[in-house]
Amino acid sequence: ATMTDTPPVGMVVLTATLAASSGPAPTYAGGQIHWSGTVVTGAEVRVTYTLSPTAAIPLSRPAADV
């Protein structure tokens, strides 16, 4: 099986967090996360990673005047 995921614009993949519950660790190249391995029938493989916003994405919104 193979999996490819493209993180949202403005987010950075923290590559040290790339992990899979089975098989090889995912890789990050060309702006995409890739995983390829064997999945036994009836089983699942979880691919996990952490994203961090870039400076282009504000972490909070300014307070609104009410």
Side-chain angles (χ1 to χ4, degrees):
T2 60
M3 182 222 67
T4 301
D5 191 25
T6 303
V9 173
M11 300 297 277
V12 174
V13 176
L14 302 179
T15 56
T17 67
L18 290 166
S21 61
S22 180
T27 58
Y28 180 68
Q32 294 184 320
I33 298 164
H34 303 275
W35 180 85
S36 182
T38 302
V39 180
V40 179
T41 301
E44 67 178 42
V45 174
R46 290 180 185 249
V47 173
T48 59
Y49 51 90
T50 301
L51 300 174
S52 178
T54 64
I57 304 294
L59 294 177
S60 63
R61 295 181 185 181
D65 292 329
V66 179

